[in-house]
Amino acid sequence: NLTMSKYSDRAIELFMDGKNCSQAVFAAFAPDLGLSEEMALAISIGLGGGVGRMREVCGVVSGSAMVVGLKYPELDKTEVYKLVRLIMEEFKKNNHSIVCKELLGLAEAEKSSVPEARTPEYYQKRPCVKIVEDAALATEKILFVEENK
C-alpha cells in the first residue's frame, strides 16, 4: 500500500517490534486520543491472535473497535457499532474475513497459547503485517476523515 499514514506506519512498527496485532492497531492511535502507548499496549495484549491466540475475531478488529470508543466516549452503543461496522466494511475491501484463522488459512484453532517466535520466516509466511496496515488505514479513513481533508 502506497498510502502514507502515521497511524499505519506506527502500527506496522509496533507489530514488527513484537507487539501483537491488536496492540499494534490500538496503540498506534491511543496517544493522539489521550491514552499513553504503554497503557494501550497493556489493555490490548490479551486480544492478540484472535483473543488469547484462539484464532477467533482478529485482534486488529478488537483494536479498531477500541479506538472508536476512545475517540468518541460520548457516543451510545448504536453509534459506536455503526462506526465499527464502517471500519470493518473498509477493512473487508482488502480482506476476505475478520476471523483470525480464516485470514491465516488455518483449518482449526491453535492448541497452544505460546506465540510463535518472530523470525524473518514468521513475517514471510504470515499476512499479519498487511492485515495490521489495512486495519489502521481503515480506522483512520473512517474516524479521522475530517482531519484528512
Side-chain angles (χ1 to χ4, degrees):
N1 198 322
L2 297 173
T3 310
M4 291 301 292
S5 156
K6 74 173 184 175
Y7 296 116
S8 64
D9 289 351
R10 184 64 185 138
I12 291 167
E13 276 176 23
L14 287 164
F15 189 79
M16 295 301 287
D17 190 42
K19 304 300 184 256
N20 71 38
C21 49
S22 191
Q23 288 178 301
V25 172
F26 185 54
F29 290 89
D32 280 0
L33 299 173
L35 184 68
S36 73
E37 185 174 279
E38 181 181 61
M39 189 61 73
L41 292 170
I43 290 167
S44 55
I45 192 169
L47 300 170
V51 182
R53 202 170 185 260
M54 292 188 294
R55 304 303 185 204
E56 298 297 337
V57 172
C58 177
V60 302
V61 176
S62 307
S64 294
M66 289 193 298
V67 173
V68 177
L70 196 56
K71 181 164 171 66
Y72 298 112
E74 73 283 0
L75 294 182
D76 67 15
K77 282 187 272 190
T78 301
E79 294 305 310
V80 170
Y81 294 169
K82 282 182 188 171
L83 287 169
V84 171
R85 285 169 172 241
L86 285 171
I87 293 168
M88 288 308 107
E89 280 174 32
E90 188 66 29
F91 176 78
K92 285 171 113 177
K93 289 178 182 176
N94 296 314
N95 299 277
H96 66 283
S97 177
I98 63 166
V99 177
C100 178
K101 66 179 171 249
E102 292 172 8
L103 289 166
L104 297 182
L106 302 173
E108 56 187 53
E110 302 279 355
K111 301 288 186 269
S112 171
S113 58
V114 181
E116 282 184 61
R118 293 293 187 87
T119 62
E121 294 74 29
Y122 170 94
Y123 291 110
Q124 286 302 311
K125 72 177 182 176
R126 286 287 164 101
C128 302
V129 174
K130 181 78 174 88
I131 291 167
V132 163
E133 179 184 37
D134 288 345
L137 289 170
T139 302
E140 181 175 20
K141 182 172 182 180
I142 299 305
L143 298 186
F144 296 80
V145 178
E146 66 281 3
E147 285 116 81
N148 292 336
K149 289 187 176 154

